[in-house]
Amino acid sequence: MSTDNAMKISADHLRRDAFLYVRQSSLRQVFENTESTKRQYALRDRAVALGWPIERVHVIDNDLGLSGAQSQDRDGFQRLVTEVAMGHAGIVLGLEVSRLARNNADWHRLLELAAMSRTLIMDEDGVYDAASFNDRMLLGLKGTMSEAELHILKSRLQGGILNKARRGELELPLPIGLVYTPDMRVVLDPDRQIQDTVRMLFDTFREVGSACAVVRRLRSEKILFPRRIRRGIGKGDVLWSEIDHSRVIQILHNPRYAGAFAYGRTRTIYNAKLKSVQQKMPRSDWQVLIPQAHEGYISWDEFERNLRPYYICNEAVVRRAGKACQWARGPAIDEAVSALLLEAMAPTAIEVALAVQEEISQRVEQAASLRDKQLQRARYEAELARRRYLKVDPDNRLVADALEADWNGKLRDLDTLQREHERQNETDQSLLDGAMQERIRALAADFPRIWNNERTSPAERKRMLGLLIEDVTLLVNEKINMYIRWRGGRTQSLAVARPRPMAVIRKTPEAVVALINELLETDNDQQIASRLNALGHRNWRGEAFTLKKVMLVRRAYGLKTRFERLRESGMLTGEEVARRFGVSATTVHQLGRDGVLKRHRYATNHRYLYEPPGNVRLAKGVGGRYGSRQPRLIDAQQIQQGAS
């Protein structure tokens, strides 16, 4: 131990514990660069030589295999910082500064805490006191050099990767169906089952034009899709399982299937929690794109066509909860396409029937071929399991029992697959027998009647449509422009008017609203409904007007009620007239029924408003044996003249 190092160590430092921090940047370094790990653990002897007992030298090594570029997720480093901040650490040992941190922010935070708590820092070169200006400046310089070293290493590595990518020589994981040759060329997978299954996916999408329809087709025909294990146990093995929608989308959007080399399709960014996440980049921001770099399954033009239905119409809705770029109601479009289909079917019924038969035959043969390959693979795996079992020593029961169980499992899988294969073949053959062919000919000859039959479901119409039309592209502007591509390549276009919005459809015509407003001057809602029906007016559903329907129109357009109009003209309620004459409201209503007071009905339940009686007085009725007299109104001026 040098004299300078010994002078920096005080009794207070020795009273506290020593902490040795051990780290390697990756698990590969942990397993392969073992000498560096041994050198780091050897620093415990240095701590003992400086005066710390071995039982008080704590090793923090739970960050092995983690990068020092940041403190996030480094639990060991966080623990070390906590011990320093609480004053428990007398010295912190690390082989070099880069083991503690390659980020200046993390490094200087540790230095600041060490200076405050009077904690020493030791590396392979010596002991440093963070509270000393000279030592702290030297430690800061070492931290800067460590961060710069990481930057240089990354730049050098990324530069080499980018240069290889620009030449199209960078080795990247290939999607299923593509493999590397020994001389690092990209070719189609030599496994014919894998190759034919991938081709069938693109053929099916070319036919149905929908990822969901591709999943339904492959599942209905019991076609399994391969995937290759990328890492871990069984790396490189191929597993077969049912395909799902997301997998179809990934395949359709992968430019490698079009023979293009692409680099930079994703970029690593950090979210608010400083977690690294992969962000998809638009094609304009890809770092490298080399078309026709190797053999593919589809052309580049077809790859771009495959992208359009998803990125234009559905991507914002499905992925980001956004808005669809365009939409249109279906009835008008369905009617236009149906009419065009019926028109096109008439002169070519027999040709269409033959084309349908040929397409069904090709599809059945393709599916049967893929199922045969699945069966061949199952037979091979069962035979391989049998040979493994026969080669083992029968007395070694631990191994023999396991191999026998594996053989039995393969035989059960083969039997299940054989039964499913036979059942599916019987179903497929029923599509090609004479009875089915006659049904297809009858369908083509009598297509209009079947198409318009109420018992024909929408799903069946879509299936018939898919056999005749490749796709229909819609552009919604002032009109709905339809571009139809028939099977065989013929194209046709037509346009239909955009359906009116529901708010416009349900809107009451202005003439009817004006008529209701006019009738409210003399009639109540029930009377208006009767008048409208007599004149032949109907609502937007074609239904006759009722009291409630008139009320809804009146409220929707803010029309004044019959009651409001009568009140504005000076009409009085029964209670107001009763107070005027000093009688009860019942008497007023009776006078109205007797015709003594003029009244106007404003509702259906015998509700009335009364005309102002003017300068009159109510003379009560008189009854008796010799005659009676009804109540009547007497002019106040006549009463005054008689009195004079």
Side-chain angles (χ1 to χ4, degrees):
M1 181 175 64
S2 67
T3 306
D4 292 340
N5 291 341
M7 292 178 61
K8 294 178 182 179
I9 301 173
S10 66
D12 179 63
H13 293 133
L14 294 173
R15 180 180 54 80
R16 291 178 279 171
D17 293 344
F19 290 86
L20 170 60
Y21 183 75
V22 179
R23 184 188 64 80
Q24 290 279 44
S25 297
S26 65
L27 290 177
R28 183 174 180 179
Q29 289 184 0
V30 174
F31 290 108
E32 296 182 0
N33 195 5
T34 57
E35 192 62 32
S36 175
T37 306
K38 291 178 181 178
R39 290 174 60 202
Q40 294 185 64
Y41 281 112
L43 289 177
R44 285 180 297 186
D45 298 335
R46 295 279 298 275
V48 173
L50 291 174
W52 274 270
I54 187 67
E55 65 272 9
R56 287 179 38 221
V57 179
H58 307 287
V59 178
I60 301 177
D61 56 3
N62 49 322
D63 286 346
L64 282 171
L66 297 177
S67 171
Q70 59 182 15
S71 60
Q72 184 74 18
D73 296 329
R74 280 205 291 157
D75 295 337
F77 183 77
Q78 299 291 351
R79 177 193 167 192
L80 178 65
V81 172
T82 302
E83 297 289 352
V84 172
M86 296 181 67
H88 297 165
I91 190 171
V92 173
L93 300 96
L95 185 64
E96 55 192 26
V97 169
S98 63
R99 298 302 167 191
L100 290 167
R102 282 193 180 271
N103 181 290
N104 260 339
D106 298 334
W107 176 239
H108 282 282
R109 184 169 68 251
L110 177 62
L111 291 183
E112 184 175 355
L113 292 173
M116 293 173 59
S117 60
R118 308 292 296 185
T119 301
L120 301 177
I121 295 178
M122 175 181 171
D123 63 11
E124 199 173 34
D125 296 330
V127 178
Y128 307 93
D129 184 358
S132 170
F133 173 77
N134 291 332
D135 286 359
R136 185 165 180 174
M137 183 175 64
L138 181 57
L139 289 173
L141 181 60
K142 284 192 171 187
T144 302
M145 293 175 62
S146 175
E147 187 176 42
E149 180 185 18
L150 179 62
H151 172 74
I152 293 172
L153 290 174
K154 283 185 176 180
S155 299
R156 190 177 300 164
L157 179 63
Q158 291 297 327
I161 291 175
L162 187 57
N163 282 337
K164 292 191 70 173
R166 286 169 178 163
R167 298 194 303 268
E169 299 175 359
L170 181 63
E171 183 180 357
L172 297 173
L174 294 175
I176 192 71
L178 296 171
V179 295
Y180 284 108
T181 62
D183 58 352
M184 299 310 297
R185 291 185 300 107
V186 179
V187 297
L188 303 186
D189 198 311
D191 189 321
R192 293 297 303 178
Q193 183 184 1
I194 294 177
Q195 191 178 136
D196 291 345
T197 306
V198 175
R199 289 189 187 279
M200 185 181 186
L201 185 146
F202 285 107
D203 292 342
T204 304
F205 182 78
R206 196 179 299 119
E207 176 185 344
V208 299
S210 166
C212 291
V214 170
V215 175
R216 286 194 296 268
R217 172 73 64 81
L218 296 183
R219 292 198 173 209
S220 65
E221 296 181 353
K222 307 301 181 183
I223 303 299
L224 302 180
F225 201 83
R227 65 179 180 89
R228 197 179 302 277
I229 299 177
R230 297 292 184 188
R231 58 181 65 88
I233 300 175
K235 180 180 179 181
D237 293 347
V238 176
L239 302 181
W240 295 81
S241 59
E242 291 186 334
I243 198 168
D244 57 20
H245 179 268
S246 62
R247 186 82 189 284
V248 175
I249 295 298
Q250 290 174 1
I251 293 172
L252 293 174
H253 291 181
N254 195 326
R256 300 303 302 249
Y257 287 105
F261 177 87
Y263 179 75
R265 296 171 58 207
T266 61
R267 188 170 298 171
T268 301
I269 62 173
Y270 292 93
N271 58 18
K273 296 182 179 180
L274 297 181
K275 293 282 188 179
S276 60
V277 294
Q278 294 293 322
Q279 181 184 33
K280 288 185 177 181
M281 306 302 296
R283 188 188 303 177
S284 58
D285 292 338
W286 292 0
Q287 292 174 289
V288 179
L289 176 61
I290 306 175
Q292 300 179 352
H294 55 79
E295 187 179 2
Y297 285 86
I298 58 175
S299 66
W300 183 256
D301 291 339
E302 184 175 355
F303 169 73
E304 291 189 320
R305 286 199 303 271
N306 291 345
L307 295 182
R308 293 194 190 107
Y310 299 94
Y311 285 119
I312 292 179
C313 295
N314 298 334
E315 183 72 9
V317 178
V318 176
R319 302 293 184 189
R320 297 185 295 274
K323 295 182 179 180
C325 64
Q326 61 180 13
W327 65 275
R329 291 192 178 92
I333 300 171
D334 293 344
E335 292 176 4
V337 175
S338 298
L340 189 65
L341 190 65
L342 295 174
E343 180 182 352
M345 281 290 294
T348 58
I350 302 301
E351 290 79 359
V352 170
L354 296 176
V356 170
Q357 283 184 278
E358 180 66 22
E359 184 166 349
I360 291 177
S361 176
Q362 293 177 359
R363 195 180 73 194
V364 168
E365 291 176 359
Q366 186 182 21
S369 175
L370 288 177
R371 288 195 299 271
D372 283 336
K373 289 182 174 64
Q374 292 178 4
L375 198 59
Q376 292 174 14
R377 185 179 294 274
R379 289 196 186 101
Y380 168 76
E381 292 177 351
E383 177 62 21
L384 183 61
R386 185 187 73 85
R387 293 201 301 266
R388 288 172 178 168
Y389 172 70
L390 293 178
K391 288 180 179 180
V392 73
D393 183 359
D395 295 332
N396 189 355
R397 298 312 305 169
L398 293 176
V399 178
D401 290 346
L403 293 178
E404 184 180 13
D406 181 61
W407 181 23
N408 291 332
K410 298 296 184 182
L411 289 176
R412 285 192 296 270
D413 294 341
L414 176 60
D415 181 67
T416 302
L417 190 61
Q418 179 72 43
R419 293 175 182 274
E420 183 63 32
H421 179 70
E422 293 174 354
R423 186 194 65 78
Q424 191 66 36
N425 281 346
E426 292 177 359
T427 302
D428 291 344
Q429 289 302 319
S430 66
L431 298 175
L432 301 175
D433 59 14
M436 180 59 67
Q437 293 178 7
E438 290 301 323
R439 288 181 60 188
I440 293 175
R441 289 191 176 91
L443 170 65
D446 201 14
F447 185 78
R449 182 180 64 83
I450 297 176
W451 181 265
N452 295 318
N453 194 324
E454 294 181 354
R455 298 175 61 183
T456 304
S457 66
E460 292 172 337
R461 288 192 179 93
K462 289 182 179 179
R463 291 176 59 189
M464 290 188 284
L465 190 69
L467 295 174
L468 302 172
I469 293 179
E470 184 75 27
D471 55 52
V472 179
T473 302
L474 303 180
L475 292 178
V476 182
N477 296 313
E478 290 77 11
K479 291 185 176 182
I480 301 176
N481 299 293
M482 293 180 285
Y483 302 91
I484 301 168
R485 187 156 57 103
W486 296 85
R487 295 286 184 184
R490 185 170 66 93
T491 59
Q492 194 170 357
S493 61
L494 68 156
V496 297
R498 291 187 64 175
R500 294 183 302 163
M502 184 56 65
V504 176
I505 295 175
R506 299 181 64 173
K507 188 175 182 179
T508 305
E510 294 181 1
V512 176
V513 177
L515 179 58
I516 293 176
N517 187 46
E518 180 181 347
L519 293 175
L520 281 170
E521 296 293 337
T522 57
D523 300 328
N524 57 43
D525 293 342
Q526 183 62 58
Q527 294 170 330
I528 292 174
S530 301
R531 293 282 300 275
L532 292 175
N533 294 332
L535 293 173
H537 294 292
R538 295 293 185 268
N539 71 346
W540 68 278
R541 293 181 182 271
E543 301 168 344
F545 278 95
T546 62
L547 169 64
K548 290 185 177 181
K549 290 183 174 62
V550 173
M551 291 174 62
L552 287 175
V553 174
R554 176 170 50 74
R555 291 171 181 171
Y557 289 91
L559 303 180
K560 293 181 179 179
T561 63
R562 174 68 175 153
F563 176 83
E564 293 171 336
R565 295 168 191 254
L566 290 173
R567 289 291 285 175
E568 288 178 355
S569 65
M571 299 296 175
L572 304 176
T573 64
E575 290 74 11
E576 291 173 339
V577 176
R579 289 195 295 270
R580 166 76 169 74
F581 291 124
V583 296
S584 66
T586 303
T587 301
V588 172
H589 296 324
Q590 183 61 45
L591 293 174
R593 288 192 291 271
D594 294 340
V596 176
L597 295 175
K598 293 182 179 181
R599 61 180 184 171
H600 300 272
R601 191 169 70 173
Y602 64 87
T604 57
N605 52 352
H606 303 290
R607 294 184 178 275
Y608 296 89
L609 290 178
Y610 296 87
E611 293 185 4
N615 190 18
V616 296
R617 194 179 69 178
L618 177 64
K620 298 182 179 180
V622 177
R625 179 181 297 180
Y626 301 105
S628 62
R629 186 176 63 191
Q630 297 295 329
R632 66 186 187 282
L633 298 177
I634 303 174
D635 192 308
Q637 292 182 354
Q638 294 179 359
I639 296 174
Q640 293 176 357
Q641 292 175 358
S644 60

